[in-house]
Amino acid sequence: MPSANPQIQRNIGGYLDHLLVERGLAKNSMAAYRRDLGRYQEYLVSKGITDFSVVSANEVSDFLISLRLGSKQHPALAPSSAARTLIAVRGLHAFLAKEGITASDCARAVKPPAISKRLPKALTFAEIEKLLNAVGAGSDSDLSILMMRDHALLELLYGTGARISELTDLGLDDVSTLSKQLPILRLKGKGNKERLVPVGSHALRALDRYLVRSRPVLSGKSTASSALFLNARGSKLSRQSAWTILQAAAERAGLAGKVSPHTMRHSFATHLLENGADVRVVQELLGHASVTTTQIYTLVTVDQLREVYATAHPRAQTR
């Protein structure tokens, strides 16, 4: 543990003894607490603080910020790691207040950083092309009836940002009005909320080929179904089967383990935003009730911010 005022060292040592003896923390947990509190002690030393009685919520909050920003001595921490460190600091201050060492628990009001929802990594456009070519490359004569269906399904999945269940729930009536002049698809999302989504030319061509050459063959294998996408027996394609189609295409494209239905939706949103689309337009296309949900896609890491700032701001660059 870094050198510090003996009083601070004794207080932190007392808390660590409490964790070991009274709470019986495991060896690895104790090591994590020592590391986190050692960094906190180092921070207090750098601020010239020699007694916990003068520490306020502002100092604890500033320490949390320093964890996220990093320094020459320490790399920046992810929100989850910073939250873990703050838990150790909050536990320390609660202990000090309970023992009467400090008048109050100053860290109680400092909240841990919000941990953003984990999103699948967006595919690059080149990877999307590989995936779509895995089921749609070649002339009509080279493609099987099922590959024409699979190509139409995946083109629509990426081209509209739809949930896979929204596509498997489509009926023939939903695409009967699609045309080059008015390529707008009506999707029914969560809570039966409807939205209108444009359909691109590639998806439109793949869908047209499926409807003309593939679906009539599939529908003839069973009783007539009103579903747009049919399985090999002529019945409605299930959500699970659509997921299997996507996984098989990913394997053929060399993308096994990188693709899920939500990856396609995430890639759709990310590529739109990267190419200048307004976040509120993307919100409408995805069918999000709140733009806050869509803004998850626009988040950048602290490291990215620092890198852009360091390379772009004239007063941040070294001479």
Side-chain angles (χ1 to χ4, degrees):
M1 191 170 285
S3 60
N5 178 273
Q7 184 61 45
I8 286 183
Q9 283 188 326
R10 279 196 297 272
N11 292 154
I12 291 178
Y15 178 55
L16 291 172
D17 289 342
H18 165 76
L19 293 176
L20 180 63
V21 177
E22 301 295 330
R23 293 179 50 187
L25 260 60
K27 181 179 179 180
N28 288 343
S29 297
M30 288 299 302
Y33 268 91
R34 284 193 180 93
R35 181 174 61 251
D36 294 340
L37 293 177
R39 186 161 176 175
Y40 182 46
Q41 178 176 305
E42 188 177 319
Y43 175 81
L44 295 178
V45 170
S46 71
K47 297 299 179 181
I49 294 173
T50 60
D51 195 306
F52 279 116
S53 64
V54 300
V55 177
S56 69
N58 287 337
E59 278 77 39
V60 178
S61 181
D62 287 347
F63 172 64
L64 177 59
I65 293 172
S66 75
L67 294 176
R68 296 288 288 119
L69 292 177
S71 64
K72 291 182 179 179
Q73 292 76 28
H74 300 288
L77 295 184
S80 57
S81 298
R84 185 207 66 221
T85 301
L86 181 61
I87 288 172
V89 171
R90 289 180 60 171
L92 168 66
H93 280 283
F95 170 79
L96 296 177
K98 185 177 179 180
E99 294 294 310
I101 297 171
T102 58
S104 63
D105 179 1
C106 65
R108 185 176 183 180
V110 182
K111 304 299 181 185
I115 301 174
S116 60
K117 296 179 181 178
R118 288 180 178 268
L119 290 172
K121 185 178 180 181
L123 298 176
T124 65
F125 183 65
E127 289 173 328
I128 287 289
E129 287 192 311
K130 281 184 181 179
L131 182 69
L132 297 175
N133 287 338
V135 289
S139 63
D140 288 4
S141 59
D142 295 329
L143 298 179
S144 69
I145 296 300
L146 293 180
M147 286 187 75
M148 291 181 188
R149 177 204 62 190
D150 298 349
H151 186 221
L153 176 69
L154 298 193
E155 282 282 5
L156 277 178
L157 194 61
Y158 171 65
T160 64
R163 300 174 180 91
I164 204 161
S165 58
E166 292 173 346
L167 294 188
T168 56
D169 285 343
L170 286 174
L172 278 176
D173 291 344
D174 295 312
V175 298
S176 61
T177 58
L178 279 177
S179 65
K180 291 182 180 179
Q181 290 72 38
L182 192 65
I184 301 294
L185 186 63
R186 187 182 299 273
L187 295 175
K188 186 175 289 185
K190 294 180 178 180
N192 288 326
K193 182 181 178 182
E194 291 188 345
R195 69 185 187 279
L196 299 177
V197 180
V199 180
S201 59
H202 289 274
L204 204 60
R205 284 196 298 271
L207 182 61
D208 183 64
R209 181 174 61 181
Y210 165 67
L211 290 172
V212 172
R213 297 177 57 85
S214 177
R215 192 184 183 284
V217 178
L218 295 174
S219 63
K221 296 183 178 182
S222 181
T223 57
S225 172
S226 62
L228 173 60
F229 289 107
L230 304 178
N231 60 27
R233 298 181 300 278
S235 302
K236 176 185 174 182
L237 186 73
S238 68
R239 180 181 177 277
Q240 291 75 17
S241 295
W243 197 93
T244 301
I245 289 168
L246 177 60
Q247 293 301 304
E251 288 185 12
R252 287 196 294 272
L255 298 170
K258 296 182 65 175
V259 183
S260 71
H262 195 61
T263 307
M264 301 293 283
R265 186 167 157 86
H266 180 40
S267 300
F268 165 84
T270 299
H271 295 168
L272 282 173
L273 291 166
E274 285 178 348
N275 286 283
D278 184 88
V279 68
R280 292 193 179 275
V281 173
V282 178
Q283 173 198 355
E284 291 295 326
L285 294 175
L286 292 173
H288 287 160
S290 169
V291 73
T292 302
T293 306
T294 314
Q295 284 172 335
I296 293 171
Y297 294 95
T298 69
L299 293 177
V300 292
T301 65
V302 172
D303 287 341
Q304 288 173 312
L305 286 173
R306 187 188 294 109
E307 181 179 350
V308 170
Y309 177 81
T311 56
H313 196 286
R315 299 295 285 182
Q317 300 170 25
T318 57
R319 300 291 182 182

